[in-house]
Amino acid sequence: ESHPRLVLLRADSKPTRAPPVTEFSRHPASLARKAILWWLPLLYLLISDSFYLRTYDSAMVKITLLQMGGAAVVCLWAILLWERRRFPFDQKALVLLAPFFLYLLSGIVSFSHAPYPGSSADDFLRRVFYMSFSMIVVSEFDEARVEWFSRVLTWTAAIAVLYGFIQYLDEAFFPPGTNMGLDPFVWRGAFGSRIFSTFGNPNFFANFLVLIFPIVLTRYLKTRSVALLPLLALVVFDLYRTETKGAWIGFVISAFIFIVLYIFFFSGLLLKKVLRWLLPMGGVALVGISALLFYYVTRRRSSVDFRVFTWLATWEMIETHPWIGTGIGSFKVIYPAFRRPAIFHIEAKHNTETDHSENEYLEVWFDEGVVGFGIFLWLILTVTGLGFSALRRLCVGEAARPPPRAYDILGYLVAFLGMLAHNLFDVSLRFVSSGVYLALLPAVVARLSYFHPLQEAKEPGLNQGPALNQGVPPSDSGPSGLYAAFLWPLKLLCGLGLLYFLYQVFVQFAALQGGFQSAAYGGERLQWVISWTVLLGCCVGLGGFFGMIAYRTSSWITPALILAMLYPLLFFWGFFRADIHHNMAIFYSKRGEWDLALENYLKVNRLNPYFIMAFYFKGNVFNDRFQMERQERFQWGDSTGKPRNDFERALDAYAEVRRIAPNYVQMHHQVGTLYLRRANYEINQKNMEGAEKYWKEALRFYQLYRNLDPVFFLNYQRMAQAYAVRKHWDQAEKMYLDFIQAERCHVHRHETPEAYTLLGNIRAMRQNFRGAEEAYRLALGLDPQYGEALKNLAALYHQTGAQEKLRSLKESYLPKPQPARGSSYELVPSRL
């Protein structure tokens, strides 16, 4: 592979014609390989170190880079394989790499039976791109190119940890507020004292630090570069400041594995002697990390409880389809039906969505069943075995210093195992910023472990499989005749397609980004410059490579592959634009500018038909506005000749949500509220029969939501209102009692002053004055100055003529008359 010629032969076959050395750089296969070797490492740098704050999700730029950059890499590799006319793996390699292929196949099979493919598509695409990257690394990156990849990862780490350290200094020594400290960006202080760097979340940043530390450490051991020591220190410091307990555990495990492997394979010492002092040191480290974890657990116990309750629910989900799994990417759709009520108390919110299980192994089992989980473990064991075997072969018994390849294997192997250890308590692998390393780390270990340097020169290698498509004209021979008459128009079409794509991207990004003058302060202007620089560099660089490849090729397949790539690129670019429009729609919604909000929500749905949140928020806009005049407004999503009112528009939007994710967030509650408003509208129209129909529908959807969230007070309150307005007092009273008694909560009773006061109101309306008095006094027992309970209890005593109780109430709870000017205001202390 280090030879300047393109390798197109097996060791046991006759050489086939390769391009002359002087023309090698012009060969389309050479151009494709050069683009891959440069672009893939830089893609990892961009995914790790980029963020974009004008989107709804600041990590959307990472997802877009994976989708668009991944599609470009896969297309380049397909072109490379075609132009070489070679299959990249021989029989022995296929056997050793079988878990990689089967892990990809498992994702495909799992996606084929996913209950909601639209919601699962993103996870499926990530699996395809990740495993494609693995195959590319194994087939194209030799030892020298792995060194280049490691250098780029070191730059990636330097950018991330330096910005993380800036965040620490900014939070520790500067006042809060935008543009008030060292961090110039608007998201400064988003997680308080926890730093998150370019990853947008402390957990994701911590996972990156766990995996990058052994890679940087082995680079130092290999090169003895003093410049790497401050970087290693910053990695450890930033990891501590993320306050991510699961990552600390992963780091300790990773460090222990690193020490054991280094001593055993690199020091030349006997393991028995080493263990005499290594085990006590490990015990001390274990005690230390345990004490640190206990300290932070006591400070933030909720994160532990959240994981335990989520794991219990995930296990129940696994039991529904234990053998084949439910389908890749299905967790966030299925989980709401299994979520423990305690989760709502931990989060102190009811409109949040849990996307993952907080344990990668449980989620793989849920997604892909026992078979897929077994393949995942097989992949881990295979890579680990290859790494150990290679280290033993390269290091043990060697008198001289181990070769550089051994250090790389050690670093990437420990990074892989440390990342897997961290994901026992986290799901960073389910997000792009960390998930891409699931493709890289095992692939590098497999690549470096499988071949010796001499084997690459003398034995059939990973780039030297059997010849394919022998009948196709070779790329270095010029086309002629009818073939040329067909090929050159296709090349021209390919070039025009590339130019059209670049034009669309630049024009649309300029419209979304705005001009430089629109940036309000330094951080926005800095991001404006960086974003345009990265976009231009990626598009012009890759576009130039694809253009040269299309021009140099003599096969019609190559320009056809490039043209086929443009459609998914535009599709993925639409996802990025949709996220920006979603952010704009929320901005206009908060300001009550409904037309502009709806205009942007409709753009989101056109650009990304599986953006669940946009359908949900659009339904909420119509639900809140609730204009019942029938109109035909295209900017509101109406079709020609089909005028609608907001009730119908909201129902259609919520129906789209149910189609993609049937239990999404508070969708059932929102539909119930929509029907309740329609019932009230029918009452105003003197249509009691219609109102009764809508009341029943409202109660049906409220009950659906109650099944998912039995601790949401507003849901019980609105159900009680629907019963009370129909004078179904028993059911109305039961709603408040059910909430207070909280039989499904298993945490505590939901005794609140508001719940007891509303219960008292229902009892008072049904003439149960003793029960109403009891409820009001229970409310005051919880909050002696709760105004509604005081007022309603006083009114109850006044209505029933209980003057003595009314006088006692005033003396016990109500404030004394306003004191004279100059004296202090005094409240009578409660006797309860």
Side-chain angles (χ1 to χ4, degrees), residues 605-621:
N605 296 146
R606 284 196 296 267
L607 293 169
N608 186 350
Y610 301 115
F611 202 129
I612 307 173
M613 194 182 301
F615 288 111
Y616 177 67
F617 283 1
K618 183 172 67 174
N620 291 347
V621 168

Side-chain angles (χ1 to χ4, degrees), residues 782-812:
L782 295 170
D783 181 359
Q785 299 301 323
Y786 189 69
E788 287 297 316
L790 285 170
K791 181 180 68 174
N792 293 350
L793 183 57
L796 178 68
Y797 288 152
H798 179 75
Q799 178 183 354
T800 58
Q803 296 301 323
E804 184 64 30
K805 290 184 177 181
L806 179 59
R807 185 163 43 254
S808 175
L809 176 69
K810 291 179 179 179
E811 293 175 355
S812 302

Side-chain angles (χ1 to χ4, degrees), residues 624-745:
D624 293 338
R625 189 176 67 176
F626 204 74
Q627 295 179 2
M628 291 303 293
E629 178 186 358
R630 285 185 174 274
Q631 302 178 61
E632 183 182 308
R633 300 286 292 273
F634 300 112
Q635 64 270 33
W636 296 348
D638 298 336
S639 303
T640 305
K642 294 182 179 180
R644 299 183 299 171
N645 55 38
D646 279 355
F647 173 78
E648 294 167 330
R649 296 184 185 103
L651 277 184
D652 289 345
Y654 291 136
E656 286 296 320
V657 175
R658 287 198 299 276
R659 179 180 62 85
I660 304 171
N663 293 320
Y664 182 75
V665 193
Q666 291 186 301
M667 184 264 302
H668 295 310
H669 177 80
Q670 293 296 94
V671 176
T673 302
L674 179 66
Y675 277 115
L676 190 61
R677 286 181 174 162
R678 183 60 189 269
N680 293 334
Y681 172 82
E682 295 298 334
I683 290 176
N684 294 333
Q685 303 297 314
K686 311 300 183 184
N687 180 11
M688 298 306 298
E689 182 179 349
E692 179 68 22
K693 179 182 71 172
Y694 292 118
W695 275 324
K696 290 181 178 179
E697 284 298 296
L699 288 169
R700 183 170 71 89
F701 278 95
Y702 282 140
Q703 184 58 47
L704 284 174
Y705 186 70
R706 182 186 176 187
N707 294 337
L708 301 174
D709 180 0
V711 300
F712 185 43
F713 174 66
L714 188 57
N715 198 66
Y716 288 90
Q717 183 181 0
R718 286 177 171 166
M719 292 180 76
Q721 290 173 354
Y723 284 124
V725 75
R726 300 156 67 198
K727 297 185 172 19
H728 295 177
W729 305 116
D730 290 342
Q731 291 91 331
E733 181 176 345
K734 184 177 184 300
M735 288 298 103
Y736 290 121
L737 288 173
D738 285 351
F739 173 77
I740 292 169
Q741 293 167 359
E743 293 181 356
R744 289 182 54 193
C745 179

Side-chain angles (χ1 to χ4, degrees), residues 72-85:
V73 169
V74 171
C75 181
L76 286 168
W77 195 43
I79 291 171
L80 175 60
L81 297 181
W82 176 259
E83 294 288 347
R84 277 179 176 166
R85 311 298 198 272

Side-chain angles (χ1 to χ4, degrees), residues 765-784:
M765 284 188 284
R766 64 183 307 187
Q767 308 298 309
N768 180 5
F769 298 127
R770 181 174 296 179
E773 178 187 12
E774 177 189 11
Y776 291 140
R777 286 197 170 272
L778 287 170
L780 293 173
L782 295 170
D783 181 359

